Amino acid sequence: MRIDVLSIFPSYFDGLTLSLLGKAQESGLIDLRVRDLRDWTSDRHRTVDDTPYGGGAGMVMKPEPWGLALDEIAGSSGEAPTERPTIIFPSPAGEVFTQKTARALATREHLVFGCGRYEGIDERVFEYASDLGEVRLISLGDYVLNGGEVATMAMIEAIGRLIPGVVGNPESLVEESHEDGLLEYPSYTKPASWRERSVPDVLLSGNHGAIASWRREQQIERTKRRRPDLLPGDETAPV
Ligand SMILES: COc1cccc(COC(=O)c2cn[nH]c2)c1
C-alpha cells in the first residue's frame, strides 16, 4: 500500500517510522510518503492560508497549494495506472472512523491523507479532489483538534496494522475490541496473585471450553456496561 500524507507539519509523522509501521515500510509493505504542503506554494512566505469570505474568525487554507499537490500526488503522475486513490481529509464534519472503516481502507492500494489546519480547507478542494479519487471526510470523534495530523496518525496506525504481514501474528488481530462488534475480554499474566489480587480461577483451569465461555460473557458484560450502543437490540443475539 502506498500512503501519501500532505501536511504543513510533516515532522509530526516522524513517529510512524518507528516500530511496527517502521518495519512495514522497510519491508515495502507500506510505502509512506510525507510531503510538506508548502512545497506547492510560490510566494516568499510560502503562504497556505487566507481570511474567510463572508467574514468570521480564523483563517482558511487556500485552494491553490492543495490543487497543485493533489495533481502531483493523486493525479496519474506517470506511474503505472492503479486504482484511483482514496483521498482522506480528517475533519470534525466527517463520517466517524470505526474498525469497519479501517478494515475497508486496509484493502486499498493508495491512500492520500490531507491534513487541514486553521478553520479548515477551502470547500472547492474537496470538490476538485473528487475528480482525482474517492474523497472521504473522516472524523475520529465528536471533538475538535487543531489539525488533521493526529487523526491521520491514528488512522494510519489502525489501517496499517490490518495489512497482511504488518503484524507478526495475525491471530492477535482477531480477539480484540471491535473485531467482533464487542469490547475485548480482560487479560491477565503472571504472577497468579499480585498485591492480594488473584487471576480468575477459570483461566488457570485448563478447561478451554469454560475459558472461552467466560471470555464471551466478559465481552458481553463489558460492552453492556461501557458501550451499550454497540449492542444490537437483543444483546444475547449472536454478534
Ligand atoms: C479539514 O478541516 C479541519 C478543520 C479543523 C480541524 C481539522 C482537524 O480534524 C479534526 O479536528 C478532527 C478529526 N476528527 N475529529 C476531529 C480539520
Side-chain angles (χ1 to χ4, degrees), residues 90-92 116 118-121 126 138-141 143-148 151:
S91 168
Y118 309 102
E119 298 312 306
I121 302 171
F126 305 132
I138 300 183
S139 167
L140 287 196
Y143 48 82
V144 182
L145 301 166
N146 288 331

Side-chain angles (χ1 to χ4, degrees), residues 39-208:
D39 289 349
W40 285 276
T41 60
S42 48
D43 64 307
R44 197 156 61 88
H45 299 291
R46 293 164 55 89
T47 309
V48 292
D49 64 314
D50 204 334
T51 53
Y53 277 120
M59 302 291 271
V60 175
M61 297 191 94
K62 295 164 58 65
E64 296 97 327
W66 282 103
L68 293 169
L70 289 168
D71 281 346
E72 180 175 326
I73 286 171
S76 48
S77 53
E79 292 181 17
T82 55
E83 69 183 32
R84 287 179 2 133
T86 300
I87 306 170
I88 298 160
F89 293 96
S91 168
E95 63 182 279
V96 178
F97 185 78
T98 64
Q99 191 67 8
K100 186 165 176 254
T101 321
R103 277 198 292 268
L105 292 174
T107 65
R108 298 291 198 290
E109 277 303 306
H110 186 191
L111 301 180
V112 178
F113 287 89
C115 299
R117 278 269 151 183
Y118 309 102
E119 298 312 306
I121 302 171
D122 186 298
E123 190 68 15
R124 291 168 291 180
V125 171
F126 305 132
E127 294 162 14
Y128 180 79
S130 61
D131 293 337
L132 299 173
E134 178 200 6
V135 173
R136 303 273 291 270
L137 269 65
I138 300 183
S139 167
L140 287 196
D142 296 335
Y143 48 82
V144 182
L145 301 166
N146 288 331
E149 286 80 8
V150 166
T152 295
M153 292 271 282
M155 287 191 260
I156 290 177
E157 180 154 325
I159 294 161
R161 64 195 295 278
L162 298 178
I163 294 171
V166 171
V167 168
N169 174 9
E171 267 300 296
S172 61
L173 293 177
V174 174
E175 294 193 325
E176 55 187 15
S177 287
H178 305 292
E179 259 318 302
D180 57 2
L182 294 173
L183 301 187
E184 62 189 1
Y185 51 75
S187 297
Y188 300 84
T189 185
K190 291 186 279 298
S193 179
W194 172 72
R195 297 194 179 186
E196 316 301 320
R197 298 170 190 278
S198 299
V199 170
D201 291 337
V202 65
L203 297 180
L204 307 176
S205 68
N207 178 338
H208 298 293

Side-chain angles (χ1 to χ4, degrees), residues 187-233:
S187 297
Y188 300 84
T189 185
K190 291 186 279 298
S193 179
W194 172 72
R195 297 194 179 186
E196 316 301 320
R197 298 170 190 278
S198 299
V199 170
D201 291 337
V202 65
L203 297 180
L204 307 176
S205 68
N207 178 338
H208 298 293
I211 291 169
S213 302
W214 179 85
R215 283 174 166 174
R216 186 71 177 173
E217 286 155 23
Q218 289 293 311
Q219 279 188 277
I220 291 171
E221 188 277 327
R222 278 177 147 204
T223 308
K224 259 199 291 194
R225 181 159 35 92
R226 296 179 187 162
R227 290 294 305 276
D229 57 296
L230 293 178
L231 288 173

Side-chain angles (χ1 to χ4, degrees), residues 31-42:
D31 170 12
L32 178 68
R33 308 178 193 188
V34 182
R35 302 294 302 274
D36 185 342
L37 181 69
R38 293 188 196 274
D39 289 349
W40 285 276
T41 60
S42 48

